[in-house]
Amino acid sequence: MTQVFNADQLLSLMKSRRSIRQYQDREVPDNVIEQILEAGRWAPSASNRQPWHFIVIRQPEIRQAVSEHAAYFFIRWAHVEDAPVIIALCGNAGTPIYRQFLHEDIGIAGTQMMLQATALGLGTCWIGGLDREAIGDVLKLPDGVELVGLLTLGYPDESPDPPARKPLAKITHYEVFGNRKAGEAEAGRVITGPLGVLLRKLRIKF
């Protein structure tokens, strides 16, 4: 049976998510963290490989060690140390074929976790500017497992205004880039003849 969810409420949740950089000095219960991890576990992934590993970091000394390498050139993200919880989003690189999808898969899982955290009244912030190798050493990542990003997590101690968004009309195209109205695209070039047949047959569906 197909389940129908309130689309307006879901869109409202997405619009209410903020990047939170100030957190209350308040512990996040285990069952709440588990719900957030569960949201990540149910994310889609290439060929359903589910390449992710989530490391929940709460011990102050490990958070401190991770925060020292949560930096991009000369900019250090101070809120990484202040957050009561850090979730390291890691993944199995796998074969070269699947490695190209790793950051996409982990990114989708992280997005679902951020939305679940918002629904539970918590704040998050995605950290991508990192010394991944150094943090990998701190977290004792085995060979083949890569750190993709960090999520800071906690109860918000700030309420940022909504960030500006580009108008939908400026970012939407139809059929090909540059067509702003539906139905106005020219037909794309289709390769015909024996070459076209061969190229289409080489596309294996599964």
Coordinates of all heavy atoms in Angstrom, one line a residue, residues 105-160:
D105 N 26.7 9.2 -2.2 CA 26.0 8.4 -1.2 C 26.0 8.9 0.2 O 25.0 9.0 0.9 CB 26.6 6.9 -1.3 CG 26.3 6.2 -2.6 OD1 25.4 6.7 -3.3 OD2 27.0 5.2 -2.9
I106 N 27.2 9.3 0.6 CA 27.4 9.8 2.0 C 26.7 11.1 2.2 O 26.1 11.4 3.2 CB 28.9 9.9 2.4 CG1 29.6 8.5 2.2 CG2 29.0 10.4 3.8 CD1 29.0 7.4 3.1
G107 N 26.7 11.9 1.1 CA 26.0 13.2 1.1 C 24.5 13.1 1.3 O 23.9 13.8 2.1
I108 N 23.9 12.1 0.6 CA 22.5 11.8 0.7 C 22.2 11.4 2.1 O 21.2 11.8 2.8 CB 22.0 10.8 -0.3 CG1 22.2 11.4 -1.7 CG2 20.6 10.4 -0.1 CD1 22.0 10.4 -2.8
A109 N 23.0 10.4 2.7 CA 22.7 9.9 4.0 C 22.8 11.1 5.0 O 22.0 11.2 6.0 CB 23.8 8.8 4.4
G110 N 23.8 11.9 4.9 CA 24.0 13.1 5.8 C 22.8 14.0 5.7 O 22.4 14.6 6.7
T111 N 22.3 14.3 4.5 CA 21.2 15.1 4.4 C 20.0 14.6 5.1 O 19.2 15.3 5.8 CB 20.8 15.3 2.9 OG1 21.9 15.9 2.2 CG2 19.6 16.2 2.7
Q112 N 19.7 13.3 5.0 CA 18.6 12.7 5.7 C 18.7 12.8 7.2 O 17.8 13.0 7.9 CB 18.4 11.3 5.2 CG 17.9 11.2 3.8 CD 17.4 9.8 3.4 OE1 17.0 9.6 2.2 NE2 17.4 8.8 4.3
M113 N 20.0 12.7 7.7 CA 20.2 12.8 9.1 C 20.0 14.2 9.6 O 19.4 14.4 10.7 CB 21.7 12.3 9.4 CG 21.9 10.8 9.1 SD 23.6 10.3 9.0 CE 24.1 10.4 10.8
M114 N 20.4 15.2 8.8 CA 20.2 16.6 9.1 C 18.7 16.9 9.2 O 18.2 17.6 10.1 CB 20.9 17.5 8.2 CG 22.4 17.5 8.3 SD 23.2 18.8 7.3 CE 23.0 18.2 5.6
L115 N 17.9 16.4 8.3 CA 16.5 16.7 8.3 C 15.8 16.0 9.5 O 14.9 16.5 10.2 CB 15.8 16.2 7.0 CG 16.2 17.0 5.8 CD1 15.7 16.4 4.5 CD2 15.7 18.4 5.9
Q116 N 16.2 14.7 9.8 CA 15.7 14.0 11.0 C 16.0 14.8 12.3 O 15.2 14.9 13.2 CB 16.2 12.6 11.0 CG 15.7 11.8 12.2 CD 14.2 11.4 12.0 OE1 13.6 11.8 11.1 NE2 13.7 10.7 13.0
A117 N 17.3 15.3 12.3 CA 17.6 16.1 13.5 C 16.8 17.3 13.7 O 16.3 17.7 14.8 CB 19.1 16.5 13.4
T118 N 16.5 18.0 12.5 CA 15.6 19.2 12.6 C 14.2 18.8 13.1 O 13.6 19.5 13.9 CB 15.5 19.8 11.2 OG1 16.8 20.2 10.7 CG2 14.6 21.0 11.2
A119 N 13.7 17.7 12.6 CA 12.4 17.2 13.0 C 12.4 16.9 14.5 O 11.3 17.0 15.2 CB 12.0 16.0 12.2
L120 N 13.5 16.5 15.1 CA 13.6 16.2 16.5 C 14.0 17.4 17.4 O 14.2 17.3 18.6 CB 14.6 15.1 16.7 CG 14.2 13.7 16.2 CD1 15.4 12.8 16.1 CD2 13.1 13.1 17.0
G121 N 14.1 18.6 16.8 CA 14.4 19.8 17.5 C 15.9 20.0 17.8 O 16.2 20.9 18.6
L122 N 16.7 19.4 17.0 CA 18.2 19.6 17.1 C 18.7 20.3 15.9 O 18.0 20.5 14.9 CB 18.9 18.2 17.3 CG 18.8 17.5 18.6 CD1 17.6 16.6 18.7 CD2 20.0 16.8 19.0
G123 N 19.9 20.8 16.1 CA 20.6 21.5 15.0 C 21.8 20.8 14.6 O 22.4 20.0 15.3
T124 N 22.2 21.0 13.3 CA 23.4 20.3 12.8 C 24.1 21.4 11.9 O 23.6 22.4 11.5 CB 23.0 19.1 11.9 OG1 22.1 19.6 10.8 CG2 22.3 18.0 12.7
C125 N 25.3 21.0 11.6 CA 26.1 21.8 10.6 C 27.0 20.8 9.9 O 27.8 20.1 10.5 CB 26.9 22.9 11.2 SG 27.7 24.0 10.0
W126 N 27.0 20.8 8.6 CA 27.8 20.0 7.7 C 29.2 20.6 7.6 O 29.3 21.8 7.3 CB 27.2 19.8 6.4 CG 28.1 18.9 5.5 CD1 29.2 19.3 4.8 CD2 27.8 17.6 5.1 NE1 29.7 18.2 4.1 CE2 28.9 17.2 4.2 CE3 26.8 16.6 5.4 CZ2 28.9 15.9 3.7 CZ3 26.9 15.4 4.9 CH2 27.9 15.0 4.0
I127 N 30.3 19.9 7.9 CA 31.6 20.4 7.8 C 32.3 19.6 6.7 O 32.5 18.4 6.8 CB 32.4 20.2 9.2 CG1 31.6 20.7 10.3 CG2 33.7 20.9 9.1 CD1 31.3 22.2 10.3
G128 N 32.8 20.3 5.7 CA 33.4 19.6 4.6 C 34.9 20.0 4.4 O 35.7 19.3 3.8
G129 N 35.2 21.2 4.9 CA 36.6 21.6 4.9 C 37.4 21.0 6.0 O 37.4 21.5 7.1
L130 N 38.1 20.0 5.7 CA 38.8 19.2 6.7 C 40.2 18.7 6.3 O 40.4 18.6 5.1 CB 37.9 17.9 7.0 CG 36.5 18.1 7.4 CD1 35.7 16.8 7.3 CD2 36.4 18.7 8.8
D131 N 41.0 18.3 7.3 CA 42.2 17.6 7.1 C 41.7 16.1 7.3 O 41.8 15.6 8.4 CB 43.3 18.0 8.0 CG 44.6 17.2 7.8 OD1 44.6 16.2 7.1 OD2 45.7 17.7 8.2
R132 N 41.3 15.5 6.2 CA 40.6 14.2 6.3 C 41.6 13.1 6.8 O 41.3 12.2 7.5 CB 40.0 13.8 5.0 CG 38.7 14.6 4.7 CD 38.1 14.2 3.4 NE 36.8 14.9 3.2 CZ 36.7 16.1 2.8 NH1 37.7 16.9 2.5 NH2 35.4 16.6 2.7
E133 N 42.9 13.2 6.3 CA 43.9 12.2 6.7 C 44.2 12.3 8.2 O 44.2 11.2 8.9 CB 45.1 12.4 5.9 CG 46.2 11.4 6.1 CD 47.4 11.5 5.2 OE1 47.3 12.3 4.2 OE2 48.4 10.8 5.5
A134 N 44.3 13.5 8.7 CA 44.6 13.6 10.1 C 43.5 13.2 11.0 O 43.7 12.5 12.0 CB 45.0 15.1 10.4
I135 N 42.2 13.5 10.6 CA 41.1 13.1 11.4 C 40.9 11.6 11.3 O 40.5 10.9 12.2 CB 39.8 13.8 10.9 CG1 39.9 15.3 11.2 CG2 38.6 13.2 11.6 CD1 38.8 16.2 10.7
G136 N 41.2 11.0 10.1 CA 41.2 9.6 9.9 C 42.1 8.9 10.9 O 41.8 7.8 11.4
D137 N 43.3 9.5 11.1 CA 44.2 8.9 12.1 C 43.6 8.9 13.5 O 43.8 8.0 14.3 CB 45.5 9.6 12.0 CG 46.3 9.3 10.7 OD1 46.0 8.3 10.1 OD2 47.2 10.1 10.4
V138 N 43.0 10.1 13.9 CA 42.4 10.2 15.2 C 41.3 9.2 15.4 O 41.2 8.5 16.5 CB 41.8 11.6 15.4 CG1 41.0 11.7 16.7 CG2 42.9 12.7 15.3
L139 N 40.5 8.9 14.4 CA 39.4 8.0 14.5 C 39.8 6.5 14.2 O 38.9 5.7 14.2 CB 38.3 8.4 13.6 CG 37.7 9.8 13.8 CD1 36.6 10.2 12.8 CD2 37.2 9.9 15.2
K140 N 41.1 6.3 13.8 CA 41.6 5.0 13.6 C 40.9 4.3 12.4 O 40.5 3.1 12.5 CB 41.6 4.1 14.8 CG 42.4 4.7 16.0 CD 42.3 3.8 17.2 CE 43.1 4.4 18.4 NZ 43.0 3.6 19.6
L141 N 40.6 5.1 11.4 CA 40.0 4.5 10.2 C 40.8 3.4 9.5 O 42.0 3.7 9.3 CB 39.6 5.6 9.2 CG 38.6 6.7 9.7 CD1 38.3 7.6 8.5 CD2 37.4 6.1 10.3
P142 N 40.3 2.3 9.2 CA 41.1 1.3 8.5 C 41.3 1.6 7.1 O 40.6 2.5 6.5 CB 40.2 0.0 8.7 CG 38.8 0.5 8.8 CD 38.9 1.8 9.5
D143 N 42.2 0.9 6.4 CA 42.4 1.2 5.0 C 41.2 0.9 4.2 O 40.4 -0.1 4.5 CB 43.5 0.2 4.5 CG 44.9 0.6 5.0 OD1 45.1 1.7 5.5 OD2 45.8 -0.3 5.0
G144 N 40.9 1.8 3.2 CA 39.7 1.6 2.4 C 38.5 2.3 2.9 O 37.5 2.4 2.2
V145 N 38.5 2.9 4.1 CA 37.4 3.6 4.7 C 37.9 5.1 4.7 O 38.9 5.5 5.3 CB 37.0 3.2 6.1 CG1 36.0 4.1 6.7 CG2 36.5 1.7 6.1
E146 N 37.0 6.0 4.1 CA 37.4 7.4 3.9 C 36.4 8.2 4.8 O 35.2 7.9 4.8 CB 37.3 7.8 2.5 CG 38.3 7.1 1.6 CD 38.2 7.6 0.1 OE1 37.6 8.7 -0.1 OE2 38.7 7.0 -0.8
L147 N 37.0 9.3 5.3 CA 36.1 10.3 5.9 C 35.6 11.3 4.8 O 36.4 11.8 4.1 CB 36.9 11.1 7.0 CG 36.2 12.3 7.6 CD1 35.1 11.9 8.4 CD2 37.2 13.2 8.4
V148 N 34.3 11.5 4.8 CA 33.7 12.4 3.8 C 33.4 13.7 4.4 O 33.7 14.8 3.9 CB 32.5 11.7 3.1 CG1 31.8 12.7 2.2 CG2 32.9 10.5 2.4
G149 N 32.8 13.7 5.6 CA 32.4 14.9 6.2 C 32.1 14.7 7.7 O 32.1 13.6 8.2
L150 N 31.9 15.8 8.4 CA 31.5 15.8 9.8 C 30.1 16.5 9.9 O 29.8 17.4 9.2 CB 32.5 16.5 10.7 CG 33.9 16.0 10.7 CD1 34.7 16.9 11.6 CD2 34.0 14.6 11.3
L151 N 29.3 16.0 10.9 CA 28.1 16.7 11.3 C 28.2 17.1 12.7 O 28.5 16.2 13.6 CB 26.9 15.8 11.1 CG 26.2 15.6 9.8 CD1 24.9 14.8 9.9 CD2 25.9 16.9 9.1
T152 N 28.1 18.3 13.0 CA 28.0 18.7 14.4 C 26.5 18.6 14.8 O 25.6 18.8 14.0 CB 28.5 20.2 14.7 OG1 27.8 21.1 13.8 CG2 30.0 20.3 14.4
L153 N 26.3 18.2 16.1 CA 24.9 17.9 16.5 C 24.7 18.4 17.9 O 25.5 18.1 18.8 CB 24.6 16.4 16.3 CG 23.3 15.9 16.8 CD1 22.2 16.4 16.0 CD2 23.4 14.4 16.9
G154 N 23.5 19.0 18.1 CA 23.2 19.4 19.5 C 21.9 20.2 19.5 O 21.3 20.5 18.4
Y155 N 21.5 20.6 20.7 CA 20.3 21.5 20.8 C 20.7 22.9 20.5 O 21.7 23.4 21.1 CB 19.7 21.3 22.2 CG 19.0 20.0 22.4 CD1 19.7 19.0 23.1 CD2 17.7 19.7 21.9 CE1 19.1 17.7 23.2 CE2 17.1 18.5 22.1 CZ 17.8 17.5 22.7 OH 17.3 16.3 22.9
P156 N 20.0 23.6 19.6 CA 20.5 24.9 19.2 C 20.5 25.9 20.3 O 19.6 26.0 21.1 CB 19.5 25.3 18.1 CG 18.8 24.0 17.7 CD 18.8 23.1 18.9
D157 N 21.5 26.8 20.3 CA 21.5 28.0 21.2 C 21.5 29.2 20.3 O 22.0 30.3 20.7 CB 22.8 27.9 22.0 CG 22.6 28.8 23.3 OD1 21.5 29.1 23.7 OD2 23.6 29.2 23.8
E158 N 20.9 29.1 19.1 CA 20.7 30.3 18.3 C 19.6 30.0 17.3 O 19.2 28.8 17.2 CB 22.0 30.6 17.4 CG 22.4 29.4 16.5 CD 23.6 29.8 15.6 OE1 23.8 31.0 15.4 OE2 24.2 28.9 15.0
S159 N 19.1 31.0 16.7 CA 17.9 30.9 15.8 C 18.2 31.7 14.5 O 17.7 32.8 14.4 CB 16.6 31.2 16.4 OG 15.5 31.0 15.5
P160 N 19.1 31.3 13.6 CA 19.5 32.1 12.5 C 18.3 32.4 11.6 O 17.3 31.6 11.4 CB 20.5 31.2 11.8 CG 20.9 30.2 12.7 CD 19.7 30.0 13.6

